[in-house]
Amino acid sequence: MKKIYQKVCIICCTLLFINNGLAQKKPNILFILVDDFGYHDISCNGSKIYQTPNIDNLAKNSVSFENAYASYPRCVPSRYALMTATYPVNEDHGDLGKIDPAKNFIKQFKANGYSSFFVGKWHLGSDESSPVGFGYDQSFAAGDAGSTEEQFYPFNGKRVEGGKGEKAPVPDVQKYAKPGDYLSDVLTKRTIQYIKESKKDKPFVGVLAYYAVHTPLEAKKEDFDRNQKEINAFNFGSTPEYVKEGHAETKMRQDNPKYAGMVENVDENIGKLIQQLKDQGIYDNTIIVLTSDHGGLSTRGGKRELATTNFPLRAGKGWLYEGGTRVPLMVRVPNSVKPFVDHHSIVLGMDIFPTLADIALNKQVAGIDGKSFKNILLKKENWDDRIVYWNSYKARPTQTGDDKTSAIRKGDFKLLHFVESDKVELYNIREDAEEKRDLASSMPEKKAELLALLNKWKQAYQIKMKPNHKQGETEGEALSPQQQAKKEARKAERKAAKKLD
């Protein structure tokens, strides 16, 4: 009897040890970033055209934020902010290789036993500033370019090895894929392989950054045909196709079947990823984050094809109105966080990695601008009175129609300063998310308060005026200070040579 009792005690202790080990196991992290994905490009956020059942279901099982923002209204600076948790005041990709390891979140995860991978659009440099140079163990299809030449195999068109910047080919994909393959499907397939290859006793942090739904606007035939039929049958009523926005125009209808097909393909692929996590038995130990780098492409200064509308939010990509900066954000933390919709907390893309480090590593990183919103997830805090800032000096008036602009949001109020015209606009975002009612003249004290805070921030961060992007310059060709200096030196040499002639 005594021996049986001892065996029972040993079994119970063993089970308790195993259970404690499971409870203490660090979570996996899957961070999904969709390019140019507007807040209303999801059916659960109000789209009547795009069908996104998998994203909708993820939202139901997550904390979804209604006041989540990109840190910048374009790709490169926004992604820099995501990776570094800092305001992207230089408006380029910086020098990621020289970031202090104590402030490098991927290296922090690695030091705590995580494996890591990055799949898809990187757009933040090469060599030391590549994903592997920055600290990821592995990368796939992550190069200099901000877009693919085409969404279908062979993807790179006329781009060849050795090309730089936007002329660089998307790496890896041509050798990995086959004729007929669609890029978002390829990226999902490779991500699933990384997940399968991850060691069972070692957690992973992985980023899947789709090139979709960025241009080129190309959908699979079946997705295009289905959406064309649905759009033709949809009654847009009296909604105009375009409205004037400054010297630009903004699209007001979600009526592009190519873009609709791209959105729905991304949704389908997200469903495959979630199913794979379930099949691997790790869904309940994996944090999932889904967001975008900025608002959808809805505003133009020329006659380029537009993808979507962010309506009822104003304007889109490139602008500091809500349509350019407000983005979908959902965070699923299994077991410890119950799903809900946060209606008022103000969070930015640069807050995501500080939050993940806080949850998974119980670590707070000092000397950054981003903050952990872990306590919001746990319903211990509400950030409805937070102060956040934006600065966009590298404008594209001939492409997305925007001008040099700075902005601040403090609680309910948001102020925009259009620098070149010195025009100031003030809105109560809680009451007027569409930014229709400018309060600058009726609330002069609030205007003066926010403008003073904005200018103080710009002075503290030593923000300097920058030239606009040139007409025809593609996304991602923002020059580093060193590149800009070389460019100016070449220009001076040519000018001097002309004088000698």
Side-chain angles (χ1 to χ4, degrees):
M1 186 70 181
K2 187 175 180 181
K3 288 183 178 180
I4 294 174
Y5 176 77
Q6 289 175 333
K7 287 181 179 180
V8 170
C9 287
I10 292 170
I11 292 170
C12 288
C13 289
T14 302
L15 289 173
L16 183 62
F17 176 80
I18 292 171
N19 286 335
N20 284 340
L22 289 173
Q24 294 168 5
K25 186 177 180 182
K26 292 174 183 172
N28 303 303
I29 296 169
L30 180 60
F31 184 175
I32 304 169
L33 183 62
V34 186
D35 197 3
D36 284 22
F37 198 39
Y39 180 83
H40 285 106
D41 283 347
I42 304 171
S43 48
C44 67
N45 281 359
S47 177
K48 304 298 182 186
I49 299 297
Y50 313 142
Q51 307 303 311
T52 55
N54 295 296
I55 295 175
D56 295 351
N57 189 59
L58 175 61
K60 289 178 184 177
N61 292 282
S62 303
V63 177
S64 293
F65 291 87
E66 290 187 348
N67 284 265
Y69 292 94
S71 301
Y72 193 92
R74 294 193 189 281
C75 299
V76 173
S78 176
R79 289 162 188 268
Y80 180 86
L82 283 167
M83 289 298 126
T84 64
T86 59
Y87 282 114
V89 293
N90 288 327
E91 301 186 67
D92 60 23
H93 57 61
D95 191 346
L96 295 178
K98 292 183 179 178
I99 289 177
D100 184 347
K103 298 178 183 180
N104 182 315
F105 289 93
I106 296 306
K107 289 182 179 178
Q108 290 297 314
F109 277 105
K110 192 170 185 177
N112 282 271
Y114 275 76
S115 63
S116 58
F117 61 83
F118 189 101
V119 173
K121 178 172 172 175
W122 176 246
H123 209 191
L124 292 173
S126 55
D127 301 323
E128 286 187 351
S129 292
S130 69
V132 173
F134 186 57
Y136 288 93
D137 293 326
Q138 301 177 86
S139 72
F140 178 84
D144 286 352
S147 64
T148 181
E149 191 78 10
E150 51 194 340
Q151 301 292 348
F152 292 92
Y153 183 92
F155 312 113
N156 286 312
K158 296 179 180 180
R159 299 180 192 177
V160 296
E161 290 295 329
K164 299 294 183 182
E166 295 306 314
K167 295 180 181 179
V170 177
D172 309 317
V173 288
Q174 283 182 240
K175 293 180 181 179
Y176 180 83
K178 63 184 186 302
D181 281 353
Y182 191 70
L183 185 56
S184 293
D185 299 341
V186 172
L187 301 182
T188 300
K189 180 181 176 182
R190 189 65 187 95
T191 300
I192 288 173
Q193 284 186 317
Y194 277 135
I195 292 171
K196 286 181 176 180
E197 292 165 3
S198 297
K199 295 179 180 179
K200 301 302 179 184
D201 60 345
K202 191 172 187 177
F204 67 80
V205 53
V207 178
L208 168 55
Y210 286 108
Y211 284 88
V213 288
H214 192 291
T215 55
L217 301 180
E218 297 173 346
K220 292 181 177 180
K221 185 179 186 305
E222 60 270 27
D223 292 333
F224 174 88
D225 291 346
R226 181 182 66 255
N227 278 284
Q228 182 69 80
K229 184 177 180 181
E230 292 173 358
I231 289 168
N232 288 342
F234 188 82
N235 182 9
F236 289 97
S238 60
T239 303
E241 188 170 359
Y242 300 99
V243 296
K244 189 172 176 57
E245 184 62 74
H247 51 74
E249 61 181 1
T250 294
K251 188 173 180 61
M252 297 296 285
R253 299 179 183 178
Q254 290 184 336
D255 62 357
N256 189 322
K258 292 180 286 186
Y259 186 80
M262 294 172 73
V263 169
E264 293 179 4
N265 173 264
V266 166
D267 178 79
E268 180 184 339
N269 276 296
I270 289 172
K272 291 177 182 178
L273 286 165
I274 291 173
Q275 187 58 52
Q276 185 60 219
L277 294 174
K278 292 177 179 179
D279 292 346
Q280 294 292 317
I282 57 175
Y283 177 70
D284 288 329
N285 192 44
T286 300
I287 297 170
I288 303 174
V289 177
L290 173 66
T291 193
S292 172
D293 55 350
H294 49 70
L297 176 61
S298 69
T299 309
R300 65 188 181 188
K303 290 298 179 183
R304 68 185 299 179
E305 180 182 19
L306 292 175
T308 188
T309 182
N310 300 295
F311 180 77
L313 302 180
R314 187 172 176 179
K317 176 180 179 177
W319 293 72
L320 293 184
Y321 288 125
E322 295 290 289
T325 54
R326 192 181 292 206
V327 293
L329 173 61
M330 50 198 75
V331 182
R332 178 187 180 272
V333 183
N335 305 316
S336 60
V337 174
K338 294 182 179 180
F340 68 95
V341 178
D342 185 292
H343 299 287
H344 302 302
S345 292
I346 301 166
V347 297
L348 274 73
M350 67 179 183
D351 300 325
I352 293 173
F353 266 113
T355 304
L356 295 174
D358 194 6
I359 295 171
L361 308 179
N362 193 30
K363 185 176 183 63
Q364 293 77 42
V365 175
I368 56 174
D369 299 312
K371 304 196 306 180
S372 168
F373 52 77
K374 175 182 175 180
N375 282 338
I376 296 178
L377 301 176
L378 296 172
K379 289 191 171 183
K380 293 180 179 180
E381 293 179 5
N382 185 312
W383 290 359
D384 58 355
D385 60 349
R386 186 183 183 186
I387 304 175
V388 294
Y389 304 90
W390 296 268
N391 190 74
S392 178
Y393 276 177
K394 295 183 76 66
R396 297 188 179 186
T398 60
Q399 293 184 33
T400 44
D402 51 296
D403 295 312
K404 299 178 189 297
T405 315
S406 304
I408 175 175
R409 180 167 177 188
K410 180 184 179 186
D412 294 346
F413 289 91
K414 177 180 171 185
L415 178 142
L416 298 95
H417 181 206
F418 296 88
V419 178
E420 291 168 301
S421 65
D422 202 31
K423 183 181 180 183
V424 175
E425 297 176 3
L426 176 69
Y427 300 96
N428 184 324
I429 296 300
R430 181 175 289 199
E431 296 178 359
D432 179 27
E434 298 176 32
E435 295 169 297
K436 286 184 174 181
R437 300 184 294 277
D438 182 3
L439 304 173
S441 60
S442 61
M443 300 184 69
E445 291 181 358
K446 178 60 71 174
K447 170 187 168 182
E449 174 199 350
L450 295 190
L451 188 58
L453 286 171
L454 178 59
N455 287 331
K456 183 178 179 180
W457 174 77
K458 289 168 70 173
Q459 184 177 14
Y461 279 76
Q462 300 180 334
I463 294 173
K464 298 178 181 178
M465 186 63 70
K466 297 177 177 66
N468 289 340
H469 283 263
K470 292 180 180 179
Q471 184 173 358
E473 189 175 355
T474 52
E475 181 69 43
E477 290 185 334
L479 302 179
S480 68
Q482 294 85 357
Q483 290 171 321
Q484 186 66 39
K486 288 180 180 179
K487 183 177 179 181
E488 293 298 328
R490 289 194 297 269
K491 186 176 178 181
E493 288 173 2
R494 289 194 297 270
K495 193 173 181 180
K498 283 183 179 180
K499 285 183 178 181
L500 290 174
D501 291 341

